[in-house]
Amino acid sequence: MKNIIIIGATSAMAEEVAKLYAAEKANLYLIARNTTRLESIINDLTVRGANTVHTSAFDANQFDSHEVLIEQAFETLGYVDVVLIAHGSLPNQELCQNDTTQAIEELNTNGISVISLLTHTANKMELQKKGNITVITSVAGDRGRQSNYVYGAAKGMVSTFLQGLAQRLNKSGVHVLDIKPGFVDTPMTAEFNKGALWAKPDKVAQIIKKRISKKSSFSYTPAFWFIIMTVIKFIPKFVFTRLKL
Ligand SMILES: NC(=O)c1ccc[n+]([C@@H]2O[C@H](COP(=O)([O-])OP(=O)(O)OC[C@H]3O[C@@H](n4cnc5c(N)ncnc54)[C@H](OP(=O)(O)O)[C@@H]3O)[C@@H](O)[C@H]2O)c1
């Protein structure tokens, strides 16, 4: 029976991952901001077979709460197999360009808060000498684009942090996984027109769970994003700066 902590548990992708573990009778510890939504998720996961579902409320940007939050979650579950960090927000890029308070808030939500939570989680996992830490970042972190470089900078920062963390924790037997989704049809992207490149959160969740079990270190999700991002990364700078991406 697996013990799973999910941070940002009301995210559509995270909720789908929780359903998959619930079906395997896991013990789930869900951390999220929206407590009303959490209540209905608890009921659903219990019906789906979860052995236990614990919850804690948090705002990702209250950094001083993170240590106790992680401490309590590990203490409740005893041993932790997987910690999934999923929270995030999609900034209004234009607003961030004109309002540094807004830009800093978005960098905190998508970058610094994740790194703070990872730091506490990593120290706990290192003591266990086993387990998996998975973070949902984004393909947006691979190369800065004018349409969303505040978001991309935060996600890229987390991806770089995860690379170093993976190296550090390798000798402790802890696996670190960076999930890089492309376009996913969730509340975050509700206002976008959807097309062929869009994935559903349940499909993404299946990939996340599979990659965790395979002990992968990163995953473009779905996999075709690896090809798209490889092309985007290799576009020469003098061409890239002229593109409207
Ligand atoms: N959808 C995409 O196309 C896409 C693509 C690449 C990467 N991602 C990333 O995938 C992850 C999951 O997002 P999603 O697509 O599943 O979107 P979602 O359903 O809108 O979930 C976003 C989650 O982040 C939480 N959140 C935002 N700010 C927070 C804060 N300050 N404190 C605590 N929780 C906060 C939200 O909580 P509330 O419920 O309280 O608002 C919500 O649970 C995010 O990291 C996102 O950046 C998404």
Side-chain angles (χ1 to χ4, degrees):
M1 200 182 296
K2 288 206 162 65
N3 295 338
I4 316 282
I5 297 172
I6 302 183
I7 302 172
T10 54
S11 122
M13 284 188 239
E15 191 181 342
E16 293 298 328
V17 173
K19 286 180 192 171
L20 296 176
Y21 283 113
E24 292 180 357
K25 306 196 185 317
N27 297 304
L28 296 161
Y29 195 108
L30 309 179
I31 301 173
R33 179 171 61 179
N34 185 338
T35 46
T36 315
R37 180 93 189 87
L38 260 185
E39 282 302 319
S40 68
I41 292 176
I42 296 173
N43 295 335
D44 179 55
L45 294 176
T46 307
V47 170
R48 287 173 187 274
N51 188 45
T52 56
V53 187
H54 300 274
T55 59
S56 265
F58 93 129
D59 184 313
N61 291 338
Q62 286 176 1
F63 303 143
D64 54 3
S65 72
H66 291 177
E67 187 171 10
V68 172
L69 203 67
I70 298 296
E71 185 82 43
Q72 280 174 350
F74 271 76
E75 208 169 287
T76 303
L77 293 178
Y79 172 81
V80 179
D81 294 280
V82 177
V83 176
L84 170 66
I85 302 181
H87 69 274
S89 57
L90 193 58
N92 178 327
Q93 171 64 32
E94 216 173 293
L95 196 63
C96 290
Q97 286 166 204
N98 296 303
D99 180 349
T100 51
T101 307
Q102 189 64 34
I104 290 166
E105 171 91 5
E106 295 293 355
L107 289 166
N108 281 339
T109 304
N110 291 296
I112 301 294
S113 74
V114 180
I115 284 174
S116 166
L117 289 159
L118 275 170
T119 300
H120 297 298
T121 301
N123 292 340
K124 287 278 176 200
M125 280 277 185
E126 199 169 34
L127 291 175
Q128 285 192 170
K129 299 201 176 304
K130 216 177 164 194
N132 172 288
I133 302 172
T134 295
V135 183
I136 305 180
T137 65
S138 173
V139 294
D142 278 14
R143 192 164 190 182
R145 290 177 292 117
Q146 61 183 324
S147 58
N148 72 346
Y149 62 82
V150 171
Y151 179 70
K155 294 294 192 181
M157 171 168 62
V158 174
S159 288
T160 305
F161 187 93
L162 290 172
Q163 288 166 9
L165 189 65
Q167 263 192 332
R168 172 189 145 196
L169 295 181
N170 183 49
K171 58 181 173 300
S172 311
V174 178
H175 293 272
V176 175
L177 169 59
D178 183 356
I179 294 289
K180 295 184 174 202
F183 301 138
V184 188
D185 186 359
T186 68
M188 182 179 280
T189 54
E191 287 168 15
F192 290 68
N193 293 323
K194 311 295 186 300
L197 294 178
W198 286 77
K200 292 286 181 193
D202 57 332
K203 288 279 169 259
V204 171
Q206 284 167 14
I207 298 169
I208 292 173
K209 188 163 176 290
K210 191 169 169 194
R211 290 289 142 212
I212 290 171
S213 68
K214 297 243 177 234
K215 298 182 176 168
S216 305
S217 57
F218 69 91
S219 172
Y220 285 84
T221 315
F224 62 76
W225 280 97
F226 176 73
I227 299 165
I228 294 174
M229 295 318 296
T230 302
V231 171
I232 287 180
K233 280 191 284 188
F234 282 98
I235 296 173
K237 199 174 169 192
F238 74 94
V239 177
F240 194 77
T241 43
R242 287 172 174 79
L243 296 178
K244 286 200 170 98
L245 287 172

